[in-house]
Amino acid sequence: MLGFVPGNLSLYKLAFRHKSVAQNIKKGVKNSNERLEFLGDAVLGSVVAEVLFKLYPYEDEGFLTELRSKIVSRNNLNQLARKLGFDKLIEYDSRMLNSSRQGSLLGDAFEALVGAVYLDKGYDFTRSFLVNHIIKSHVDIHTLEQTESNFKSKLIEWCQRHGKDISFDLVGNEEGESMKLFTVQALIDGEVMGQGKEFSKKNAEKLAAEKACENLGI
Amino acid sequence: MLGFVPGNLSLYKLAFRHKSVAQNIKKGVKNSNERLEFLGDAVLGSVVAEVLFKLYPYEDEGFLTELRSKIVSRNNLNQLARKLGFDKLIEYDSRMLNSSRQGSLLGDAFEALVGAVYLDKGYDFTRSFLVNHIIKSHVDIHTLEQTESNFKSKLIEWCQRHGKDISFDLVGNEEGESMKLFTVQALIDGEVMGQGKEFSKKNAEKLAAEKACENLGI
């Protein structure tokens, strides 16, 4: 499935073990994939950063940061892990999780797998594996580049779909030395779901929408 | 200064060039250190993740994530870069920056340098350089481990210092399948500054406090 022969098999088994079925190996420590996920997330971030740095020599760091976050988003990694057939490999206890939480198991396991490959084979191998076996075949960078990452419209669509009211309220307005600082809250059915503070009202709204998306897990 | 002989010198020069003195090399693209900073930030995150993963085999990913963010915090990287003498190397236009922004020049340049080393010498070299030349001599991981990073007490102290009222209000309480989900808002002088949703009230408060610190730039 991965295109190479694993060395230390126990690392790969660990990568697919969700904490809901993990056992205590020491006080408070479980043999779940969470530590590997921490490591793999970092290695993946570094590999993707280099790929984008070289692929887009004339784009600034704002562009690179945004595109990377689309590539490593939970949503994208979940899809990727499903394509790779990880849903058949992950050990978990379905009674412990509701369906929305089950969704992120896949992306989490993908990151943990990257951590396992790194510990087993080192950075250069992991980079080649990710570039040649994963990114080239399964990640359409140029389509992601075009993808809507406008949190405001995403949030508005979500509210329409779920029959909820949404409003953006300007709740603060501070005079800075040379600029004004605006505070905007995103309210959904009257409840504050996100707040943003920025030097323009538009950007404060964007930030509030982003926070609300985060809080709602959209 | 770095303990090795650089190969491609232009990369290292670029690492110390702040955007305030950069020139346009193509429409909208400047030869500043910002792209290198993007890359170096990712490589540094990955190296520190591995160091902590191996140094703390019995700590969970929450501990590792928190400790890493202390090590790579702007504050810590600024201090590190100053110790290394970067303040004498960075090219920038002081008229373009106020003093608070000048502070982060140092940490930014440190990350950019890591990006330059990576492009010049590869991952394994960069890892050894960071571990042996930087982390072992200049980063006191165990002291950072003890450092206060409790957002709730940080926020409360800040409010006391600025004469503001603070309260944590429980505003939501959802029954999950097997667990309860709590929503807590951090209010400062009655204004919602952060919100957190978690499976315990205590963790929801912590999250709300963290968001509020973020919003307030504390």
Side-chain angles (χ1 to χ4, degrees):
Chain A
M1 184 168 108
L2 300 174
F4 65 87
V5 182
N8 183 349
L9 260 183
S10 64
L11 283 171
Y12 296 84
K13 283 188 186 153
L14 183 60
F16 290 109
R17 191 179 306 128
H18 185 258
K19 66 177 167 194
S20 58
V21 293
Q23 278 136 14
N24 280 311
I25 49 168
K26 224 187 147 161
K27 59 167 175 53
V29 191
K30 289 190 158 192
N31 60 352
S32 78
N33 63 2
E34 290 186 298
R35 280 170 46 87
L36 281 177
E37 186 193 331
F38 164 76
L39 181 61
D41 169 76
V43 172
L44 179 66
S46 177
V47 170
V48 174
E50 185 192 354
V51 167
L52 298 181
F53 185 91
K54 292 182 170 167
L55 193 61
Y56 296 96
Y58 296 116
E59 296 288 353
D60 68 17
E61 79 299 343
F63 173 92
L64 301 174
T65 303
E66 193 179 328
L67 186 49
R68 181 176 59 171
S69 68
K70 285 181 196 170
I71 294 173
V72 302
S73 72
R74 197 53 37 189
N75 193 12
N76 201 43
L77 294 186
N78 284 340
Q79 284 177 25
L80 185 60
R82 189 165 283 122
K83 269 196 230 166
L84 293 167
F86 282 18
D87 43 337
K88 291 162 203 81
L89 291 173
I90 299 171
E91 296 178 71
Y92 69 98
D93 182 345
S94 59
R95 290 165 306 175
M96 305 276 280
L97 298 165
N98 63 34
S99 60
S100 80
R101 298 208 116 202
Q102 275 181 38
S104 76
L105 288 187
L106 288 160
D108 295 349
F110 179 78
E111 288 181 339
L113 174 80
V114 174
V117 177
Y118 176 69
L119 290 176
D120 190 30
K121 305 273 186 179
Y123 191 85
D124 293 337
F125 184 96
T126 309
R127 180 174 60 169
S128 310
F129 163 68
L130 285 172
V131 170
N132 299 317
H133 204 82
I134 304 291
I135 299 176
K136 281 198 185 141
S137 343
H138 298 291
V139 181
D140 185 348
I141 295 180
H142 296 288
T143 302
L144 282 171
E145 193 191 326
Q146 316 295 329
T147 307
E148 184 60 81
S149 72
N150 179 333
F151 289 105
K152 204 175 153 189
S153 49
K154 206 162 143 184
L155 187 63
I156 293 171
E157 271 169 37
W158 184 88
C159 288
Q160 286 169 343
R161 223 170 34 246
H162 291 80
K164 292 188 186 287
D165 280 331
I166 172 147
S167 64
F168 290 90
D169 290 8
L170 183 67
V171 296
N173 200 332
E174 292 164 44
E175 295 282 348
E177 256 172 74
S178 58
M179 311 230 249
K180 261 190 182 172
L181 197 57
F182 298 89
T183 307
V184 168
Q185 290 181 338
L187 289 102
I188 293 178
D189 281 351
E191 191 192 346
V192 181
M193 290 307 297
Q195 175 162 307
K197 219 172 192 159
E198 267 296 346
F199 291 109
S200 80
K201 226 171 92 177
K202 204 179 138 203
N203 284 337
E205 284 184 356
K206 271 168 84 171
L207 201 61
E210 184 175 346
K211 293 269 168 68
C213 285
E214 216 181 283
N215 284 330
L216 292 161
I218 303 177
Chain B
M1 183 169 111
L2 299 175
F4 65 86
V5 182
N8 183 349
L9 262 181
S10 64
L11 282 171
Y12 296 84
K13 285 188 184 153
L14 183 60
F16 290 108
R17 190 179 304 129
H18 184 259
K19 66 177 166 193
S20 57
V21 293
Q23 277 135 17
N24 279 311
I25 48 168
K26 223 186 146 160
K27 60 167 174 56
V29 192
K30 289 191 159 194
N31 59 352
S32 79
N33 63 3
E34 290 187 300
R35 281 169 46 87
L36 281 178
E37 185 194 332
F38 163 76
L39 181 61
D41 168 78
V43 172
L44 179 66
S46 177
V47 170
V48 174
E50 185 191 355
V51 167
L52 299 181
F53 184 92
K54 291 181 171 167
L55 192 61
Y56 296 96
Y58 296 115
E59 296 288 352
D60 68 17
E61 80 299 341
F63 173 91
L64 301 173
T65 303
E66 194 178 324
L67 187 48
R68 181 176 56 171
S69 68
K70 287 182 197 168
I71 294 173
V72 302
S73 73
R74 196 53 38 189
N75 193 12
N76 201 43
L77 294 186
N78 284 339
Q79 284 177 24
L80 185 60
R82 189 165 285 121
K83 270 196 229 166
L84 293 167
F86 283 18
D87 43 340
K88 291 162 203 82
L89 290 173
I90 299 171
E91 294 177 71
Y92 68 99
D93 182 344
S94 60
R95 291 164 305 174
M96 306 276 279
L97 298 165
N98 61 36
S99 61
S100 80
R101 298 204 115 203
Q102 275 181 36
S104 76
L105 288 187
L106 288 160
D108 295 349
F110 179 79
E111 288 181 339
L113 174 80
V114 175
V117 178
Y118 176 68
L119 290 176
D120 190 32
K121 305 273 187 178
Y123 190 86
D124 292 337
F125 184 95
T126 309
R127 180 173 62 168
S128 310
F129 163 69
L130 286 171
V131 170
N132 299 316
H133 204 81
I134 304 290
I135 298 176
K136 280 196 186 145
S137 342
H138 299 289
V139 182
D140 185 348
I141 295 180
H142 296 289
T143 302
L144 283 171
E145 192 191 325
Q146 316 296 328
T147 308
E148 183 59 83
S149 73
N150 180 331
F151 289 104
K152 205 176 153 187
S153 49
K154 207 162 142 184
L155 186 63
I156 292 170
E157 272 169 38
W158 183 90
C159 289
Q160 285 170 343
R161 225 172 28 249
H162 290 79
K164 293 187 185 285
D165 281 332
I166 172 147
S167 64
F168 290 90
D169 291 8
L170 184 67
V171 295
N173 199 334
E174 292 164 45
E175 296 281 349
E177 256 172 73
S178 58
M179 312 231 246
K180 259 190 184 171
L181 197 57
F182 297 89
T183 307
V184 168
Q185 288 180 340
L187 288 102
I188 293 177
D189 282 350
E191 191 192 346
V192 181
M193 289 306 296
Q195 175 162 307
K197 219 171 192 161
E198 265 296 346
F199 291 110
S200 81
K201 224 172 91 177
K202 204 179 137 204
N203 284 336
E205 283 183 0
K206 273 168 83 170
L207 201 61
E210 184 175 347
K211 293 267 169 69
C213 285
E214 218 180 281
N215 284 331
L216 291 161
I218 304 178

